[in-house]
Structures are given as C-alpha cells and as structure tokens.
Amino acid sequence: MNLRNIIKPYPSPIITGRGIDLDFPMLAGCLALLGLGLVMITSASSEVAAVQSGNTLYMMIRHLVYLVIGLGACIVTMMIPIATWQRLGWLMLIGAFGLLIMVILPGIGREVNGSMRWIGFGAFNVQPSEIAKVFVVIYLAGYLVRRQKEVRESWMGFFKPFIVLLPMAGLLLMEPDFGATVVMMGAAAAMLFLGGVGLFRFTLMVLLAVAAVTILVQAQPYRMARLITFTDPWSDQFGSGYQLTQALIAFGRGEWLGVGLGNSVQKQFYLPEAHTDFVFSVLAEELGVVGSLCTVALFVFVCVRGMYIGLWAEKAKQYFAAYVAYGLSFLWIGQFLINIGVNVGLLPTKGLTLPFLSYGGSSLVICCACLGLLLRIEWESRTHLGSEEMEFSESDFAEEPSHGR
C-alpha cells in the first residue's frame, strides 16, 4: 500500500482553500481539558516528582512531551481519510491481538503494581490496552457496515463479533486490566445496539455481561475485597479502604471553592496515585465543588459533541464513520464515568485514567488521536467528501458549504 494513498495532502480539514476547517467547539472543549490536565498534573505531581527525581516539574515536563506527541498524532489522524481506516480494520485487529499477547510475555511486558500492562521502550512505556480499544472500535464499525442486515435480523450476525471480542477480553484480563475490559465491552455493546440489534438480543447480552462480571469479581479475592471495601471504606481506612478514604477527605477539604491551586494537602503522599487515577480528587480539593462541576460539564460537552458527530455522519449516510464516532465517544464516556465514580466512592477502585486529564502517555496520545478521528469524521460528513474514490483539487474548497451546526 502506497504511503501517498494513506495520507493524502488533499483533502484535509487542516489544508483547504479556506484555511483550517475544523469543528472548533469540539476542538476547544478538548483543548480546555488538555490545558486543565497539564495544570493539575503540575500541581498533583510536584511532591512525588521532587522526591523521585529532585525536580518538582519532572512529571509536568514528561506530560508536556506526551502532550506534544498527542497533538502530532491528532494532526496525522486528521489527514487520513476515514475510508482508509475502514480498509485497514482487519490489520488493526491483528495488531491489537499482537500487542496484547506481547505485553503478557515475560521479558517484553513490564510489571507495575502487580499488573503486566506496559511494553517498555527506554524511558517510555506503551499501554497496549489503550491502542487495542480503539482498534476494536474501528474493526467493529466495519463489521456493522458489512453485516448490517445480518446483525439486525439473525442471531449469528449478533454473536459473530464476540468471537473476536471475548478472546481480546481474555487477554486483557490476563494482564489483569478489568477496567479496560469493561470499557471495551461496554463500548462494543453500545455500538451493536446503535447498529440495530434487537431489544431482546441486546437485553440478553446485558444479562450475560452482568453474570460474567459477577463471576469474574468473585473469582479473584482482591476484586471481592475492593467490592466490599468501597461500600464502607472507613471500616478499614488504613488498609484496603485507605485510597478511597483519602480521596473522600480531599473532596471534603475542597468544599465549594477549594483550598486554592497548588495548596492540596492530600497530594503530599496521603493520596496514592494522586496525579494518575485520582487526579480528579486533587482537582476537587484545590478547585472545590465549582471547579469539579465545571470539569464534569466540559467532559459532558465533549462526549455529547462526539455523539452528535456520529449522528451527523449517519445522516450523511457515512455509516462506518458514524459507528466509529459512537464507539470512540462511548470509550470516553466509560472511562469518565468509571474514573469519577471511583474518585467519589460510587464504584470500586479501578486503574483507569481520566481522559485528557490524568498523567499517562499512552492514554493521552490515544485520546488526542481519537480527537483527530472525530474532527475528520465531522469534516467529511459536513462537506460530503468522505469517499475514497473521489479525487479533489483546490477548487473543490472554494466556497464554504452551508450547514447549521
């Protein structure tokens, strides 16, 4: 496959006769979250960074490097036609399986806190589960387009995707990464429902999923301990409930307006993972209820905008693009709900980052790449230029098409 056919200089939402032609509300919302994330990582990681490296800005600098890489990934994905992603769906699926197998192999995967979730490349770690979730969405979107009638009308069309999804879920559980498994399967279920799966089959799938989650929780003692602890973390506040109680203390200290940016006490080695999984707790302590609600509002706006991008693509009869937009939005929604739920004590503790905000290179880069995909989908659906067979020139972008978005 020729590289020129994968990344074409024209058409592209960042190179047109009108200049940059993007969905600016979506871009602004995500950039606001990225900026807020950089500020909170700088604040939440300062004490840990000072002890580990002697430089209070060490984590911030690394996060900034990942942010630059992520914005580069966003630009690259915006330049790739959606039809190309559709053609490469099978290769991406194979790549996802390859990465998830590699990460559990001794000598390749890196173990951190008892989990084999990372592949090391020098000073940087790559988390294959973040890549695999996106690749699964792209593959499943292609399947829903190819087998739309079969999915809607037959049991076989409904069960076929699980021949792929269940082995991938098994590989994720071997790391183990229960949170990523739940998010991936949840996004897949939502895509199947929006793809036209009947209500009876969808209900059966939900019941089977609930039963599977129940069995998986009971199969591992540490999962049962987390489930029991989160219902009453104060019963063992210096043991299994320590992390959650410290997070709740951070929320309590923040009150309405917070203690002020940089003035968190909980980040000073009281709250573990303060700059990764529990960065929202530090945000609540420093910015208060008002800052927390504004952050939640930003997330809601970005996720709802992503769903609308899928709706616009569907109205333009670009069904593959629509399913990809829905799937990516549900990945964000799933991670957002689980992370916030864990921070406020509504869900058992899970190792899931908060999209755009948490410290973590793989998560940040993949979120930015997903943003690029959504911006490309919106542009193609709005300009009706989403066909790979069409050839374009500068004259195709001479006039602004009318739209009401």
Side-chain angles (χ1 to χ4, degrees):
M1 185 174 294
N2 194 315
L3 182 62
R4 185 179 178 183
N5 293 329
I6 297 178
I7 303 177
K8 299 179 181 179
Y10 297 103
S12 168
I14 56 175
I15 307 175
T16 71
R18 300 179 301 273
I20 298 176
D21 184 19
L22 297 174
D23 180 10
F24 284 103
M26 182 67 164
L27 180 62
C30 290
L31 288 178
L33 287 172
L34 289 171
L36 179 62
L38 181 61
V39 171
M40 293 313 306
I41 294 303
T42 304
S43 175
S45 67
S46 58
E47 302 297 330
V48 175
V51 171
Q52 292 183 353
S53 67
N55 181 4
T56 58
L57 298 180
Y58 176 74
M59 297 292 187
M60 184 274 284
I61 294 171
R62 284 179 62 90
H63 188 78
L64 190 59
V65 170
Y66 283 123
L67 181 57
V68 172
I69 296 172
L71 292 176
C74 177
I75 293 171
V76 170
T77 53
M78 277 193 287
M79 296 175 65
I80 302 176
I82 298 302
T84 301
W85 295 102
Q86 187 172 2
R87 288 200 308 271
L88 298 178
W90 271 104
L91 292 176
M92 292 181 179
L93 183 67
I94 294 171
F97 271 108
L99 288 170
L100 292 179
I101 291 172
M102 286 174 61
V103 77
I104 60 176
L105 295 178
I108 298 178
R110 282 188 176 179
E111 184 175 347
V112 180
N113 296 330
S115 298
M116 297 278 286
R117 300 181 186 177
W118 293 268
I119 297 176
F121 294 94
F124 299 95
N125 292 327
V126 174
Q127 192 170 358
S129 60
E130 295 290 339
I131 302 172
K133 287 184 294 187
V134 177
F135 284 3
V136 164
V137 164
I138 293 173
Y139 160 77
L140 188 56
Y143 174 82
L144 290 173
V145 171
R146 294 192 306 271
R147 305 287 184 178
Q148 189 175 61
K149 184 177 180 180
E150 190 177 356
V151 168
R152 292 180 176 180
E153 298 179 1
S154 73
W155 283 93
M156 186 56 66
F158 168 68
F159 280 119
K160 278 182 181 179
F162 292 96
I163 298 174
V164 171
L165 293 172
L166 292 179
M168 187 162 289
L171 288 172
L172 287 171
L173 291 172
M174 289 175 68
E175 297 182 8
D177 195 343
F178 188 69
T181 307
V182 171
V183 170
M184 183 191 74
M185 296 301 287
M191 290 175 68
L192 286 169
F193 180 73
L194 293 175
V197 169
L199 186 60
F200 175 73
R201 289 194 289 272
F202 181 76
T203 304
L204 177 63
M205 176 177 59
V206 171
L207 293 175
L208 290 174
V210 171
V213 168
T214 303
I215 293 171
L216 288 171
V217 168
Q218 294 178 345
Q220 293 291 339
Y222 78 92
R223 290 182 187 140
M224 278 300 299
R226 286 180 175 179
L227 183 63
I228 295 170
T229 300
F230 104 97
T231 58
D232 185 16
W234 303 102
S235 62
D236 189 15
Q237 60 177 310
F238 297 110
S240 57
Y242 178 77
Q243 199 168 28
L244 180 53
T245 56
Q246 296 303 313
L248 294 176
I249 289 172
F251 277 93
R253 291 193 75 252
E255 298 184 349
W256 285 102
L257 298 177
V259 297
L261 191 62
N263 294 327
S264 168
V265 171
Q266 294 305 103
K267 70 181 181 182
Q268 298 178 13
F269 304 100
Y270 291 102
L271 177 61
E273 309 295 339
H275 60 294
T276 54
D277 300 345
F278 282 85
V279 69
F280 189 75
S281 296
V282 177
L283 184 149
E285 183 181 2
E286 296 188 348
L287 304 182
V289 172
V290 174
S292 300
L293 291 179
C294 289
T295 303
V296 170
L298 263 178
F299 271 112
V300 171
F301 171 77
V302 166
C303 292
V304 171
R305 189 75 178 182
M307 295 294 291
Y308 267 103
I309 287 174
L311 179 62
W312 295 330
E314 192 170 359
K315 287 182 177 179
K317 301 189 184 302
Q318 297 176 5
Y319 297 109
F320 172 79
Y323 293 136
V324 170
Y326 292 143
L328 296 180
S329 299
F330 278 115
L331 288 181
W332 287 354
I333 291 169
Q335 284 194 228
F336 164 67
L337 290 178
I338 291 176
N339 185 278
I340 299 294
V342 166
N343 274 254
V344 300
L346 294 177
L347 293 173
T349 303
K350 297 306 307 168
L352 275 179
T353 57
L354 188 59
F356 296 105
L357 255 72
S358 293
Y359 177 83
S362 297
S363 175
L364 185 65
V365 172
I366 293 301
C367 281
C368 291
C370 292
L371 170 61
L373 263 173
L374 288 170
L375 292 174
R376 177 82 195 195
I377 290 169
E378 189 277 337
W379 178 77
E380 287 196 4
S381 66
R382 173 161 46 85
T383 56
H384 299 281
L385 301 176
S387 174
E388 61 179 317
E389 290 82 13
M390 295 178 66
E391 295 294 335
F392 304 99
S393 64
E394 192 71 19
S395 61
D396 293 314
F397 306 96
E399 296 182 3
E400 180 78 28
S402 59
H403 60 88
R405 299 184 191 172

